[in-house]
Amino acid sequence: MKKLYALAALGTLLYSCNANQSAVENTGTEATTEATAATSDEPHRPQFHFTPPSGWMNDPNGMVYHNGEYHLFYQHNPDSTVWGPMHWGHAVSRDMVDWEHLPIALYPDSLGTIFSGSAVVDVNNTSGLGTAANPAMVAIFTYHNAEAEKAGKDDFQTQGIAFSLDNGRNWTKYEGNPVLENPGIRDFRDPKVLWYEEGQKWIMTLAVKDHISFYSSPNLLDWKLESDFGANVGAHGGVWECPDLFKLPVEGTDEEKWVLIVNINPGAPNGGSGTQYFIGNFDGSKFVMDPQFEAGLQAEPTIATTVNGQEGIWLDYGRDEYAGVTWANVPEEDGRRLFMGWMSNWAYANVVPTEKWRSAMTMARTLELVDTPAGLRVASYPVKELQHLYGPTYTLEAQDVAGALPISEKAPFSTPTFDLQLELERLSPDGQFAVELSNDQNQKALVGYDATRKQYYIDRRNAGDTSFSDDFAGIHYAPRLANGASFPVRLLVDVASVEFFADGGKTVMTDIFFPDGPFTKVRLLTESGEFKVDSGKLTELKSIYN
Ligand code: FRU
């Protein structure tokens, strides 16, 4: 019998397991209050980002929208604050901001522990696992068989499915698991499934060591290999993991293109794990890169968009966005492509200085395909629902900045949780700026623009505790994908992290930090040249635990 999730062990959980099939049944309601009490007042606990109440968390999994709820499952080790036997933790939200914690959805079984994957609603009941009136929510995940791995086998990762007929509250593993056997490849995982409307079939995008394999299925149960992509393109400094494939409209046109996300560890531009992507076309069988995108990818090392000589085009250039993928089944009326990543990096995730839990997710983001001087790129921006947490605002007047401009001093609040939006204007070509976040201990994080490199950066060298890993302190850079003198920038700051969105989300950077006191002080510094504030707002973000 597995150890039960502490918060759910109130007699509501019934766990059963046999050779190939297991089901977890529970009501899930008791978990909520305790989770809330446990998360309001601990050092470094984010106040508006999703964190597990306790234990280890990595990738977001199975993100799917159904009956008014956004589901977030996640890689979870409930018994420890370091990575270990993987389960799928579970939470739901009506706005991707305020989360209700639910009991663990998927436990390891005789086929293995439960690695990353996706979930879909089988609206047409192609699988026969639900009914037309009550379609099944189907989770497609990787079974990781640690014993087989230890025994020296290569085929220890296979794909399995589980289904729920009650909005993800109770799950049954499919008795015919695994639905996709391993052809003898050690890295064979993280299935992301979509319904391909044009061909009336399911497509599974799977990460296979150094490439992506596309499989198709009429029913989620029987899978056939369609094609492979990527062995010779993009970044290859590590293993390909957690892919995603979806269509996006090209902003300002009637065109649509396909985006293929490929997470990679290590090999990210600022070290460790990161999220790269490709733009092209998918015809139900093959993914082919857009010629313009491909040319950009090849030209990348020679133009200003390269960071630290790393190839690849990245969704987030910070060190702490990984395994990011998007929500399935978001209603057409909504029309958004919604994304969330894990806010850490495998380079140090297991040793960051938190005690009861490890890691947070990024804020949910909207992805859009936009034109930039480097060609079409995926821009991301925080979801508008974040406004549900808005508290008082301090509005900046238009002004020149000479040296330093205090911002938080005049704000009607003093919390390390805020949304800072600035419209800056560069008045001289050598103009560079930094937003400084600091505390009473004189620790600080800087988020700014380096005029010499023509790149944005986050400097967390003096942002608090860095002693836990030699690979943590540093300055991280990102290309600027906009021209001109106007620099619209936005920072979401939450106790132990900053998410930086420049030029409307064309450049994004996410970094975490562990200061000894809260970063409640904010200043704008112009270190060289001249900058002007055209407008600005500093808005308090309320805690989701209030
Ligand atoms: C990515 C990853 C996935 C795997 C999971 C295991 O962070 O390595 O490839 O399924 O984490 O927890």
Side-chain angles (χ1 to χ4, degrees):
M1 189 76 175
K2 316 264 175 329
K3 194 174 160 193
L4 297 179
Y5 200 38
L7 302 172
L10 295 169
T12 57
L13 208 137
L14 199 155
Y15 177 68
S16 72
C17 180
N18 60 36
N20 264 348
Q21 184 166 8
S22 67
V24 179
E25 293 185 19
N26 51 62
T27 59
T29 42
E30 283 81 354
T32 317
T33 351
E34 276 200 52
T36 303
T39 45
S40 50
D41 195 22
E42 302 151 82
H44 309 307
R45 175 77 83 172
Q47 293 299 300
F48 64 88
H49 284 84
F50 180 84
T51 50
S54 63
W56 166 269
M57 175 176 84
N58 56 294
D59 316 354
N61 293 152
M63 294 193 292
V64 63
Y65 179 88
H66 191 44
N67 290 339
E69 291 177 327
Y70 294 92
H71 289 260
L72 170 63
F73 301 88
Y74 53 91
Q75 287 288 278
H76 185 38
N77 182 2
D79 299 324
S80 166
T81 49
V82 295
W83 188 87
M86 284 293 111
H87 301 56
W88 274 26
H90 189 197
V92 288
S93 172
R94 297 200 163 261
D95 63 0
M96 296 170 283
V97 173
D98 218 351
W99 293 96
E100 179 188 353
H101 294 283
L102 296 177
I104 287 174
L106 298 175
Y107 284 80
D109 62 43
S110 62
L111 294 179
T113 58
I114 315 295
F115 270 24
S116 287
S118 51
V120 292
V121 180
D122 184 10
V123 179
N124 302 326
N125 197 27
T126 60
S127 61
L129 295 171
T131 60
N134 184 27
M137 183 184 286
V138 180
I140 309 99
F141 53 85
T142 298
Y143 269 120
H144 179 88
N145 189 325
E147 280 92 65
E149 183 186 17
K150 266 190 227 122
K153 300 209 167 122
D154 288 332
D155 59 356
F156 51 85
Q157 294 184 340
T158 57
Q159 319 315 321
I161 68 176
F163 61 98
S164 165
L165 299 175
D166 59 355
N167 298 316
R169 272 31 178 209
N170 295 284
W171 287 88
T172 305
K173 304 246 181 68
Y174 175 58
E175 56 190 14
N177 277 341
V179 293
L180 181 59
E181 299 276 2
N182 184 310
I185 305 171
R186 295 176 66 83
D187 297 294
F188 187 73
R189 58 177 179 268
D190 307 339
K192 182 74 165 76
V193 172
L194 73 105
W195 175 248
Y196 183 70
E197 182 64 30
E198 295 86 332
Q200 295 289 297
K201 59 182 179 181
W202 299 98
I203 297 294
M204 178 195 290
T205 306
L206 195 72
V208 184
K209 194 177 155 191
D210 62 351
H211 65 271
I212 296 300
S213 289
F214 297 104
Y215 290 82
S216 69
S217 170
N219 56 9
L220 293 167
L221 311 174
D222 306 301
W223 294 95
K224 162 179 141 214
L225 180 64
E226 292 282 347
S227 68
D228 293 336
F229 169 83
N232 301 313
V233 291
H236 279 282
V239 178
W240 282 22
E241 300 183 319
C242 299
D244 196 359
L245 176 71
F246 48 86
K247 229 191 300 185
L248 275 186
V250 180
E251 197 193 49
T253 74
D254 299 335
E255 251 189 304
E256 289 184 317
K257 302 233 181 242
W258 287 81
V259 174
L260 175 63
I261 285 182
V262 178
N263 286 277
I264 176 174
N265 175 48
N270 286 294
S273 35
T275 305
Q276 65 177 324
Y277 66 88
F278 304 88
I279 298 174
N281 186 40
F282 181 73
D283 65 0
S285 176
K286 278 197 179 65
F287 180 85
V288 178
M289 266 191 291
D290 225 40
Q292 198 206 13
F293 183 85
E294 194 172 355
L297 198 57
Q298 267 140 30
E300 213 73 359
T302 62
I303 58 176
T305 53
T306 302
V307 174
N308 299 330
Q310 272 291 349
E311 284 183 37
I313 290 175
W314 304 82
L315 205 82
D316 187 316
Y317 280 83
R319 282 207 85 186
D320 296 299
E321 183 285 303
Y322 190 57
V325 287
T326 66
W327 259 279
N329 292 84
V330 174
E332 257 170 51
E333 315 85 81
D334 181 311
R336 289 178 297 176
R337 183 48 61 171
L338 299 164
F339 169 96
M340 184 179 261
W342 173 43
M343 202 152 59
S344 195
N345 188 314
W346 280 117
Y348 43 72
N350 274 289
V351 294
V352 295
T354 56
E355 269 171 30
K356 258 185 74 180
W357 86 99
R358 275 214 175 89
S359 309
M361 295 302 180
T362 67
M363 182 45 51
R365 300 170 184 175
T366 306
L367 302 186
E368 288 179 348
L369 263 185
V370 302
D371 203 23
T372 76
L376 273 188
R377 291 291 182 267
V378 178
S380 35
Y381 218 56
V383 293
K384 60 178 188 308
E385 287 86 341
L386 184 62
Q387 290 172 13
H388 298 173
L389 299 178
Y390 273 7
T393 294
Y394 163 63
T395 304
L396 282 83
E397 277 163 23
Q399 58 196 291
D400 288 345
V401 185
L405 176 72
I407 297 178
S408 55
E409 245 174 42
K410 298 183 187 144
F413 62 90
S414 178
T415 59
T417 52
F418 49 83
D419 181 347
L420 174 65
Q421 302 189 37
L422 297 171
E423 299 280 337
L424 302 176
E425 198 181 323
R426 188 174 54 182
L427 301 177
S428 65
D430 60 337
Q432 60 180 32
F433 69 87
V435 176
E436 179 196 72
L437 314 170
S438 67
N439 59 14
D440 291 339
Q441 287 75 16
N442 215 12
Q443 296 166 333
K444 59 188 177 196
L446 296 166
V447 181
Y449 178 71
D450 180 322
T452 316
R453 293 177 71 121
K454 296 192 169 55
Q455 290 183 337
Y456 291 107
Y457 69 90
I458 299 180
D459 178 352
R460 66 175 178 194
R461 288 173 302 172
N462 301 309
D465 188 2
T466 59
S467 63
F468 50 89
S469 163
D470 290 346
D471 197 10
F472 189 79
I475 311 183
H476 312 133
Y477 292 97
R480 179 173 190 229
L481 295 178
N483 292 327
S486 148
F487 286 70
V489 296
R490 182 170 182 189
L491 282 75
L492 297 186
V493 175
D494 185 5
V495 181
S497 64
V498 59
E499 289 167 278
F500 176 51
F501 303 89
D503 304 306
K506 290 176 183 161
T507 297
V508 179
M509 301 185 81
T510 303
D511 264 21
I512 56 174
F513 36 67
F514 300 94
D516 294 321
F519 281 156
T520 52
K521 295 190 230 175
V522 187
R523 296 196 302 166
L524 178 65
L525 311 175
T526 49
E527 288 154 331
S528 80
E530 286 170 72
F531 253 98
K532 180 174 169 240
V533 175
D534 282 335
S535 67
K537 285 190 295 199
L538 177 69
T539 307
E540 180 181 3
L541 288 166
K542 301 277 188 204
S543 168
I544 55 176
Y545 303 108
N546 285 337

